[in-house]
Amino acid sequence: LQSNGCGPGFAEENTSSEEQAMIKTTGNSYLASPNLPDFCGCSPGWSSAFYGAECFDSEVHNYLNNLGKKKSSESQNIDAKKVELEQLLMMETKNYRKTIKFYQKLLQKERRSKGPETKSMLPKLRGQLQEMKSKVQFLELVKKYVQAKQWGVESCVLPTVIHNGKADAMDMAPMDESSLLLYYNTEKHQCDSQNGVRVLQAGTPLGLMAYLYSRNAFLEGYVQQFLYTFRYFCTQEEFLQFLLDRISSTLSSASLDPSTSLTKICNRSFYILQAWIEDCYSVDFATNTDLLGTLKEFISSKVASLNGYRERLLSLLEDASARKSGSADLCSGVDKCEEESEEGRRTLHSLCKKLSEDVSRKNFYWKLSKGMGPIAQYQREHLHTGPAVLPKPCCSSFTEESSVSLARADEVGPVLLIECSAQQLCWQLTLLQQEVFNKCHPVHFLNSRALGVKDKCVAVPKAVSAETVSLKVCNLFLSKCIQDQYLLQLLKNADSISTWVAAEIVTCHTTKRQVSLLSKFLLIAKCCYEQRNFATAMQILAGLENLIVRQLPAWKILPAKVAEIMEELKAVEVFLKSDSLCLMEGDRFKTLPTIPSAHVLAMHVQQLETGGFTMTNGAHKWTKLRNIAKVVSQVHAFQENPYTYAPDFKLQSYLRQRITRFKDADISALAADNCANFHQIPAEKQSRKIQDTLRRMKATFQ
């Protein structure tokens, strides 16, 4: 089995809960209660929004068609296929877990004894791990495909979806699909049996919501794209009411027969509702208590407990709320994964968190032309070093090798910045950056103009707080749509780090120390972008490009090799700004952790938001919204592959203190108090100049 490259993008399922829910069956028996479909992990995931219809290739189709066939002439019902798929996935995941644990034990044994036998076994085991990981991801993708194919209706039934949810349905005039949605035809799709395939081009708000019930909505990536972008044409309250109306009108009439339209509409409504909660709880429900209250009241009063929907949804809301409240500990909780029970509630992705590249290897290279010329001579195709399945050691080597005592971490002064290595500082700054990045959501990068974000290095003025930003200017969301402003915190954090970098340099009282700090920050930035932490690299670059810092005399005596790093950083900046999807090229982003520059990403989204969102007939351009969803989906893609460096909490505390101290500093005022920031004229030369001036003035009076 081969992975088609889309698998890691999906949120992997909770295998332990699946094991408990699995009914031990033989032959052609299958999972029971048709009343309660398998809604475990309804969110399609970022890869659905990014790849769209290409997410499920022909290999997935063929595998599902052949699943469960004992003979080529036989066919098997979908429920039996699901049972066999669940059993295969359960078995492969267990084997994958066991192999990871065995590899970790072997790795520790090899470090202690360094025996030739264990050293020869490690490469073979790495290959097996990569194979098993690909197989599990492929089976997860097939499972998502099975779920996505269920409960959809044909396009001609979409007007009925709208009709069923209306209280005054009897008085409604019949609707035509063409009045709701606009399509354009393309060439035959590789997985479509027709001569051509219709692609959604535009639609009214009601039509776009109704298209969620289309048979191919999940397969095309439409559902995930809709969840990212619906705020441009409807509010959260309107979308929730649309779903609840469909549930109310079909729940009592839905039969056990899954082929009826009412059953499909009812189940698809619950499916979409759960996907919305799973993916967007933090940006829609957590920030809107009225919306959350409406949903909970509906579930408690309208949804019967007999079919299990009520318990499932209430449990989902409770879990989502707990995750939201505990998100502050997301980064520090990586090491706690080893303390969790293997049979506890753990997803396949929690296993993947332990897998990382050898961070000591450089894995991001840039080729610069001499004299820089046009800064377009960079290398987009980068070498892949090492397999992506290597478990990261529990203890980092830099903790053992470091001779720096961090007992004085709370002391004022850049002592530790100079004494610690660039790699040590890079790792801890990356973990600090990851902590704030993991709290953001793709929706946070939408409609950023309304938050006052502009195309400047300092996006958010220090004097303006998030609460005072006017939402009346350039607001692309509907006026009643509540927008989470976490992006402002993300940009303010970036600005604080840039200011800290500049402040540390201009407060050095000797030119020699300034040279040391300049070199250290340049090396840190280089290490950051080589490890694909572009956020911190660009923040350091912004600090070094501060007008006061750029005029320091220390730049003239900086070693040439270190000074060249500045040009490399500028080339990286040009690369990041060149294409909104430049970091998603190839497969590196799936195996190597990545943190993008928040400001650069926000500017790319603003570029896509430029221009009208509606056509002349009032229909909203879905092609435009789809492109926006594709760009912001990379946020979730990067969050799925975290850095696993060992945290040094004392060093992190020191860095936090220094950043907090200088975050609102006036760099020009700090620089004015330090004579090392000015070009010094030698005393003899200055005295000679004064004497010559006096001599000339004396001559004019004679």
Side-chain angles (χ1 to χ4, degrees), residues 159 163 168-176:
H163 185 79
D168 55 347
M170 299 299 295
D171 301 329
M172 281 183 59
M175 287 186 176
D176 183 22

Side-chain angles (χ1 to χ4, degrees), residues 339-567:
E339 300 174 5
E340 297 178 0
S341 171
E342 182 176 291
E343 298 301 324
R345 295 181 59 85
R346 182 167 57 175
T347 63
L348 175 63
H349 178 57
S350 67
L351 292 172
C352 296
K353 280 188 177 182
K354 297 179 181 179
L355 308 182
S356 178
E357 291 287 333
D358 181 0
V359 295
S360 64
R361 302 177 184 175
K362 294 185 177 181
N363 46 36
F364 198 83
Y365 301 96
W366 296 90
K367 288 186 177 180
L368 306 175
S369 58
K370 293 182 179 180
M372 287 305 290
I375 314 179
Q377 302 297 325
Y378 46 76
Q379 186 175 353
R380 289 205 178 194
E381 296 297 331
H382 316 295
L383 298 177
H384 191 136
T385 57
V389 297
L390 302 186
K392 180 68 184 163
C394 301
C395 298
S396 176
S397 60
F398 96 80
T399 306
E400 301 171 358
E401 297 171 359
S402 176
S403 59
V404 180
S405 173
L406 301 181
R408 299 173 298 153
D410 57 341
E411 293 183 3
V412 178
V415 179
L416 290 179
L417 292 178
I418 296 175
E419 292 182 351
C420 290
S421 70
Q423 188 182 60
Q424 293 172 12
L425 294 167
C426 165
W427 288 356
Q428 301 312 310
L429 286 171
T430 297
L431 291 179
L432 293 177
Q433 187 64 41
Q434 179 173 258
E435 184 177 340
V436 295
F437 174 68
N438 282 343
K439 296 177 186 177
C440 74
H441 190 278
V443 175
H444 288 142
F445 291 87
L446 306 180
N447 195 30
S448 59
R449 282 193 184 94
L451 302 178
V453 180
K454 299 179 181 179
D455 189 10
K456 296 180 180 179
C457 293
V458 181
V460 182
K462 293 186 180 66
V464 181
S465 64
E467 291 77 10
T468 60
V469 175
S470 174
L471 298 179
K472 296 181 180 179
V473 182
C474 303
N475 187 11
L476 300 175
F477 287 177
L478 295 189
S479 57
K480 295 183 180 180
C481 191
I482 297 178
Q483 182 174 7
D484 192 342
Q485 300 183 4
Y486 182 73
L487 178 62
L488 295 181
Q489 299 181 37
L490 203 59
L491 296 178
K492 186 176 181 181
N493 175 77
D495 187 34
S496 298
I497 294 177
S498 299
T499 305
W500 163 66
V501 170
E504 290 284 13
I505 295 171
V506 300
T507 52
C508 289
H509 294 289
T510 64
T511 303
K512 182 179 180 181
R513 176 154 291 193
Q514 281 188 346
V515 171
S516 298
L517 263 188
L518 281 173
S519 302
K520 183 59 62 69
F521 278 123
L522 285 169
L523 291 172
I524 293 172
K526 180 181 177 66
C527 185
C528 283
Y529 81 71
E530 285 178 345
Q531 302 300 325
R532 293 178 66 88
N533 175 11
F534 299 102
T536 304
M538 293 300 99
Q539 291 159 10
I540 294 176
L541 175 62
L544 296 177
E545 286 191 321
N546 180 280
L547 184 62
I548 303 297
V549 176
R550 289 299 291 163
Q551 294 177 350
L552 295 179
W555 287 98
K556 293 186 176 181
I557 56 177
L558 200 66
K561 289 186 177 180
V562 177
E564 288 177 359
I565 299 177
M566 192 69 176
E567 301 305 318

Side-chain angles (χ1 to χ4, degrees), residues 81 113 140 148 157 203 286 295 306-307 365 389 403-404 544 576 650:
K81 289 176 181 286
S113 62
E140 288 284 357
V157 187
L295 177 58
L306 296 177
N307 57 16
Y365 301 96
V389 297
S403 59
V404 180
L544 296 177
L576 295 176
K650 290 184 179 180

Side-chain angles (χ1 to χ4, degrees), residues 180-196:
L180 300 171
L181 301 165
L182 294 177
Y183 300 88
Y184 64 87
N185 294 323
T186 63
E187 295 180 359
K188 179 180 177 181
H189 192 270
Q190 61 177 354
C191 301
D192 202 295
S193 58
Q194 302 175 355
N195 294 329

Side-chain angles (χ1 to χ4, degrees), residues 645-656:
Y645 304 142
D648 187 322
F649 297 111
K650 290 184 179 180
L651 181 54
Q652 287 185 15
S653 176
Y654 169 81
L655 293 171
R656 289 180 193 273

